[in-house]
PDB file of all heavy atoms in Angstrom:
ATOM      1  N   ASP A 543     114.360 123.358  93.059  1.00  0.00           N
ATOM      2  CA  ASP A 543     113.668 123.793  91.863  1.00  0.00           C
ATOM      3  C   ASP A 543     113.663 122.666  90.826  1.00  0.00           C
ATOM      4  O   ASP A 543     114.206 121.587  91.066  1.00  0.00           O
ATOM      5  CB  ASP A 543     114.240 125.087  91.298  1.00  0.00           C
ATOM      6  CG  ASP A 543     115.709 124.954  90.861  1.00  0.00           C
ATOM      7  OD1 ASP A 543     116.182 123.818  90.656  1.00  0.00           O
ATOM      8  OD2 ASP A 543     116.363 125.998  90.727  1.00  0.00           O
ATOM      9  N   ALA A 544     113.034 122.912  89.687  1.00  0.00           N
ATOM     10  CA  ALA A 544     112.883 121.871  88.671  1.00  0.00           C
ATOM     11  C   ALA A 544     114.220 121.430  88.093  1.00  0.00           C
ATOM     12  O   ALA A 544     114.327 120.326  87.544  1.00  0.00           O
ATOM     13  CB  ALA A 544     111.969 122.372  87.559  1.00  0.00           C
ATOM     14  N   ALA A 545     115.244 122.272  88.197  1.00  0.00           N
ATOM     15  CA  ALA A 545     116.563 121.923  87.678  1.00  0.00           C
ATOM     16  C   ALA A 545     117.368 121.087  88.655  1.00  0.00           C
ATOM     17  O   ALA A 545     118.465 120.646  88.356  1.00  0.00           O
ATOM     18  CB  ALA A 545     117.337 123.195  87.334  1.00  0.00           C
ATOM     19  N   GLY A 546     116.802 120.882  89.860  1.00  0.00           N
ATOM     20  CA  GLY A 546     117.502 120.081  90.854  1.00  0.00           C
ATOM     21  C   GLY A 546     118.354 120.891  91.793  1.00  0.00           C
ATOM     22  O   GLY A 546     119.031 120.332  92.663  1.00  0.00           O
ATOM     23  N   ASN A 547     118.358 122.196  91.674  1.00  0.00           N
ATOM     24  CA  ASN A 547     119.111 123.042  92.580  1.00  0.00           C
ATOM     25  C   ASN A 547     118.452 123.037  93.959  1.00  0.00           C
ATOM     26  O   ASN A 547     117.218 123.150  94.065  1.00  0.00           O
ATOM     27  CB  ASN A 547     119.190 124.480  92.058  1.00  0.00           C
ATOM     28  CG  ASN A 547     119.859 124.559  90.704  1.00  0.00           C
ATOM     29  OD1 ASN A 547     120.988 124.111  90.528  1.00  0.00           O
ATOM     30  ND2 ASN A 547     119.147 125.103  89.724  1.00  0.00           N
ATOM     31  N   VAL A 548     119.255 122.937  95.011  1.00  0.00           N
ATOM     32  CA  VAL A 548     118.742 122.861  96.376  1.00  0.00           C
ATOM     33  C   VAL A 548     119.153 124.119  97.128  1.00  0.00           C
ATOM     34  O   VAL A 548     120.316 124.566  97.067  1.00  0.00           O
ATOM     35  CB  VAL A 548     119.276 121.607  97.086  1.00  0.00           C
ATOM     36  CG1 VAL A 548     118.772 121.553  98.525  1.00  0.00           C
ATOM     37  CG2 VAL A 548     118.839 120.360  96.344  1.00  0.00           C
ATOM     38  N   SER A 549     118.207 124.673  97.878  1.00  0.00           N
ATOM     39  CA  SER A 549     118.450 125.898  98.619  1.00  0.00           C
ATOM     40  C   SER A 549     119.332 125.651  99.838  1.00  0.00           C
ATOM     41  O   SER A 549     119.525 124.496 100.259  1.00  0.00           O
ATOM     42  CB  SER A 549     117.119 126.467  99.091  1.00  0.00           C
ATOM     43  OG  SER A 549     116.628 125.708 100.204  1.00  0.00           O
ATOM     44  N   PRO A 550     119.844 126.720 100.443  1.00  0.00           N
ATOM     45  CA  PRO A 550     120.434 126.573 101.780  1.00  0.00           C
ATOM     46  C   PRO A 550     119.359 126.081 102.760  1.00  0.00           C
ATOM     47  O   PRO A 550     118.161 126.193 102.507  1.00  0.00           O
ATOM     48  CB  PRO A 550     120.896 128.001 102.121  1.00  0.00           C
ATOM     49  CG  PRO A 550     121.023 128.699 100.806  1.00  0.00           C
ATOM     50  CD  PRO A 550     119.965 128.093  99.933  1.00  0.00           C
ATOM     51  N   THR A 551     119.812 125.559 103.866  1.00  0.00           N
ATOM     52  CA  THR A 551     118.898 125.025 104.873  1.00  0.00           C
ATOM     53  C   THR A 551     118.287 126.160 105.687  1.00  0.00           C
ATOM     54  O   THR A 551     118.948 127.160 105.996  1.00  0.00           O
ATOM     55  CB  THR A 551     119.657 124.074 105.810  1.00  0.00           C
ATOM     56  OG1 THR A 551     120.215 123.029 105.026  1.00  0.00           O
ATOM     57  CG2 THR A 551     118.725 123.469 106.840  1.00  0.00           C
ATOM     58  N   SER A 552     117.019 125.995 106.021  1.00  0.00           N
ATOM     59  CA  SER A 552     116.358 126.988 106.860  1.00  0.00           C
ATOM     60  C   SER A 552     116.994 127.024 108.239  1.00  0.00           C
ATOM     61  O   SER A 552     117.755 126.116 108.617  1.00  0.00           O
ATOM     62  CB  SER A 552     114.879 126.624 107.006  1.00  0.00           C
ATOM     63  OG  SER A 552     114.753 125.448 107.809  1.00  0.00           O
ATOM     64  N   ALA A 553     116.693 128.059 108.992  1.00  0.00           N
ATOM     65  CA  ALA A 553     117.110 128.090 110.383  1.00  0.00           C
ATOM     66  C   ALA A 553     116.453 126.908 111.104  1.00  0.00           C
ATOM     67  O   ALA A 553     115.259 126.624 110.881  1.00  0.00           O
ATOM     68  CB  ALA A 553     116.699 129.408 111.031  1.00  0.00           C
ATOM     69  N   PRO A 554     117.186 126.185 111.950  1.00  0.00           N
ATOM     70  CA  PRO A 554     116.600 125.015 112.612  1.00  0.00           C
ATOM     71  C   PRO A 554     115.512 125.404 113.606  1.00  0.00           C
ATOM     72  O   PRO A 554     115.571 126.461 114.236  1.00  0.00           O
ATOM     73  CB  PRO A 554     117.800 124.368 113.312  1.00  0.00           C
ATOM     74  CG  PRO A 554     118.784 125.477 113.490  1.00  0.00           C
ATOM     75  CD  PRO A 554     118.602 126.388 112.311  1.00  0.00           C
ATOM     76  N   LEU A 555     114.531 124.543 113.707  1.00  0.00           N
ATOM     77  CA  LEU A 555     113.441 124.726 114.663  1.00  0.00           C
ATOM     78  C   LEU A 555     113.493 123.584 115.652  1.00  0.00           C
ATOM     79  O   LEU A 555     113.509 122.412 115.255  1.00  0.00           O
ATOM     80  CB  LEU A 555     112.098 124.724 113.931  1.00  0.00           C
ATOM     81  CG  LEU A 555     110.841 124.720 114.812  1.00  0.00           C
ATOM     82  CD1 LEU A 555     110.706 126.071 115.532  1.00  0.00           C
ATOM     83  CD2 LEU A 555     109.593 124.425 113.981  1.00  0.00           C
ATOM     84  N   SER A 556     113.519 123.897 116.926  1.00  0.00           N
ATOM     85  CA  SER A 556     113.518 122.862 117.970  1.00  0.00           C
ATOM     86  C   SER A 556     112.074 122.544 118.332  1.00  0.00           C
ATOM     87  O   SER A 556     111.293 123.444 118.691  1.00  0.00           O
ATOM     88  CB  SER A 556     114.282 123.352 119.197  1.00  0.00           C
ATOM     89  OG  SER A 556     114.271 122.364 120.214  1.00  0.00           O
TER      90      SER A 556
END
Side-chain angles (χ1 to χ4, degrees):
D543 62 19
N547 300 304
V548 179
S549 76
T551 302
S552 69
L555 172 70
S556 180

